[in-house]
Amino acid sequence: MRCVFVQFRCTPGKTYEVANAIWDREVVSEMYSTSGEYDLMAKVYIPEDQDVGQFLNAALFDIPGISRTLTTMTFRTF
C-alpha cells in the first residue's frame, strides 16, 4: 500500500458535510480539520496495483462541496 495525504478545500459552509461524506466512503485511514488554505486533510492508503489519480478520482473527488484538492505522495516512513 502507498500512503498519500490529500488536502481538501471545501465550498464555504460545506466542510462538515464533505468530511462526513469522505468518512462514510471508508477510504481514508485518518482525517483532520486544518487551518490555512485547505479545510481537511486525509491519510489514504492506495493499493500498489492501483493508479493514484484514478483511485482518488473514483473514490473521493466526486463528492459535492469539494472545490479543490492537493495530493502529496509519500516515499519513506521514518
Side-chain angles (χ1 to χ4, degrees), residues 39-56:
D39 302 301
L40 301 167
M41 179 183 287
K43 186 177 187 180
V44 183
Y45 288 97
I46 311 289
E48 290 291 337
D49 63 340
Q50 296 282 324
D51 177 81
V52 173
Q54 290 180 346
F55 181 89
L56 292 173

Side-chain angles (χ1 to χ4, degrees), residues 15-28:
T15 301
Y16 286 98
E17 289 176 35
V18 171
N20 288 329
I22 291 169
W23 193 254
D24 287 346
R25 294 199 179 183
E26 299 182 356
V27 176
V28 305

Side-chain angles (χ1 to χ4, degrees), residues 1-67:
M1 300 286 257
R2 288 174 287 172
C3 177
V4 300
F5 289 90
V6 183
Q7 294 182 72
F8 299 88
R9 183 178 300 157
C10 303
T11 305
K14 299 293 183 183
T15 301
Y16 286 98
E17 289 176 35
V18 171
N20 288 329
I22 291 169
W23 193 254
D24 287 346
R25 294 199 179 183
E26 299 182 356
V27 176
V28 305
S29 65
E30 300 173 41
M31 189 167 51
Y32 303 92
S33 59
T34 58
S35 63
E37 291 186 40
Y38 291 86
D39 302 301
L40 301 167
M41 179 183 287
K43 186 177 187 180
V44 183
Y45 288 97
I46 311 289
E48 290 291 337
D49 63 340
Q50 296 282 324
D51 177 81
V52 173
Q54 290 180 346
F55 181 89
L56 292 173
N57 275 311
L60 295 172
F61 293 167
D62 64 335
I63 293 172
I66 296 173
S67 63

Side-chain angles (χ1 to χ4, degrees), residues 66-77:
I66 296 173
S67 63
R68 186 177 182 120
T69 63
L70 174 67
T71 302
T72 303
M73 308 287 288
T74 63
F75 301 111
R76 181 177 173 182
T77 303

